[in-house]
Amino acid sequence: MTEQDISTSSFQAFLFADPAAHSLSPRMHRAAFAHAGLPGTYEAIRVPPAGLAMAVQGLRYPHLLGANISLPHKESVVALMDDLTPAARAIGAVNTVIQQGGRLIGDNTDAPGLLADLTTAGYVGEGRSAVVLGAGGAARAAVYALQVGLNHDVFVLNRTRERAEELAAAWPDATGSAVAVRPEEVPWPQVGLLINATSAGLDAPDDTPLDAAYLSLLPSHALVYDMVYRPAETRVMREARAAGLRAENGLGMLAQQARLAFFGWTGRDVPVSVFLNALDAGIPVEAR
Ligand code: NAP
């Protein structure tokens, strides 16, 4: 798409998810279109699994930029793509579809979005050892980002041990390593980063994926990063702070993955602050 095309026509992008109504993506991308001075629109559409192929096929029309893909479609949409970026291929999940001349390219901006937000949070790879809690889609993006992107040694902890083992074996040729462990097997004093990529606490706020006693074994420079962003301070974050550690939620990752998707569609690198300011999660940006 040329610069002239994009500035003289109206373009559309979508979210395909089920459910979709709760999504914060429309407000972020609409703000990005406005900031970039582009006549674009963004709609969140509830697409049940049976409707995914037809919805994706519709993205081939001219003037459609593409779509974000969220639960439960991130993995099933892979087979509907004409091509995949290296990250999407390696992770086996697509969160962004980019239309280029009628072809659909599947990208994954969760992993680079996480890395971008870790950098913002001041993480510089302390110790090169990290713990990832969880083994679902978000954990997969996190382990890929850390093991392959940052050359880290990653300890994967998950409620269902078999899923952690499967995830830890996903990238055997990476220079960093990954191993499934129980909490008591982690060398906690060597770990510089702990990422919660579970959905524990989402429905029951008092649920936690990790006994707080383990947090106090982390070194004082360690960063605890919770991919969850509602509430703004999760139980894991609260307990990490009580142990004297830095803790961040996943709001910045959400904004960064959106920024990267918008860049893929339009070629415009809109500042992440535009996406953050558009989020209405009850977290003042200046308080982050
Ligand atoms: P998912 O595929 O459904 O995986 C959920 C994971 O959480 C599984 O590993 C599951 O363990 C674990 N889990 C669920 N309840 C638990 C509990 N009570 N105790 C311990 N572990 C529990 O979900 P996902 O797509 O990976 O998403 C996970 C979280 O990340 C969600 O809260 C999502 O909102 C967040 N996320 C944030 C961003 C962002 O941009 N900030 C991006 C993606 C996802 P089992 O394997 O044992 O079931």
Side-chain angles (χ1 to χ4, degrees):
M1 192 166 295
T2 68
E3 184 74 12
Q4 190 185 1
D5 284 339
I6 192 107
S7 51
T8 57
S9 312
S10 180
F11 294 95
Q12 287 174 276
F14 303 93
L15 168 73
F16 296 157
D18 187 11
H22 65 286
S23 173
L24 296 168
S25 291
R27 65 178 69 227
M28 286 195 288
H29 287 292
R30 288 171 191 163
F33 278 125
H35 180 91
L38 297 176
T41 62
Y42 187 104
E43 301 297 333
I45 299 182
R46 187 178 80 82
V47 176
L52 182 65
M54 188 180 285
V56 168
Q57 186 64 17
L59 292 174
R60 295 181 191 278
Y61 285 103
H63 298 299
L64 300 190
L65 297 171
N68 286 132
I69 306 293
S70 194
L71 291 176
H73 304 311
K74 286 186 181 184
E75 285 160 16
S76 51
V77 80
V78 168
L80 303 172
M81 299 292 100
D82 297 316
D83 205 354
L84 297 168
T85 62
R89 190 183 308 281
I91 297 170
V94 162
N95 78 334
T96 304
V97 180
I98 301 165
Q99 196 220 155
Q100 287 177 353
R103 284 172 55 75
L104 301 180
I105 316 300
D107 193 11
N108 190 308
T109 65
D110 280 337
L114 170 64
L115 290 182
D117 199 41
L118 288 176
T119 301
T120 302
Y123 180 70
V124 290
E126 293 94 332
R128 289 190 44 246
S129 286
V131 167
V132 172
L133 307 177
R140 203 171 159 81
V143 174
Y144 174 80
L146 297 174
Q147 186 190 352
V148 179
L150 287 189
N151 192 21
H152 274 28
D153 297 325
V154 185
F155 299 93
V156 186
L157 266 76
N158 191 48
R159 183 176 60 180
T160 309
R161 168 88 182 208
E162 299 73 41
R163 295 189 74 202
E165 283 167 359
E166 203 178 305
L167 174 51
W171 300 286
D173 298 331
T175 41
S177 69
V179 60
V181 287
R182 282 184 284 273
E184 59 273 21
E185 296 167 334
V186 174
W188 293 101
Q190 296 163 33
V191 170
L193 174 66
L194 180 140
I195 294 187
N196 177 33
T198 75
S199 46
L202 215 55
D203 298 323
D206 280 337
D207 260 11
T208 180
L210 185 71
D211 192 316
Y214 290 110
L215 294 171
S216 61
L217 301 178
L218 287 165
S220 58
H221 65 259
L223 172 66
V224 172
Y225 189 96
D226 200 330
M227 281 199 188
V228 177
Y229 44 84
R230 279 191 291 211
E233 185 182 63
T234 64
R235 177 169 168 183
V236 172
M237 290 171 64
R238 194 168 65 244
E239 290 176 343
R241 285 172 177 160
L245 302 169
R246 289 183 297 150
E248 295 283 345
N249 67 31
L251 203 69
M253 176 184 169
L254 184 72
Q256 291 284 7
Q257 63 76 29
R259 179 183 69 84
L260 293 166
F262 192 84
F263 181 76
W265 294 328
T266 65
R268 300 291 178 87
D269 195 359
V270 171
V272 72
S273 57
V274 171
F275 296 86
L276 279 169
N277 286 331
L279 291 170
D280 185 23
I283 305 167
V285 174
E286 57 277 14
R288 285 172 45 74

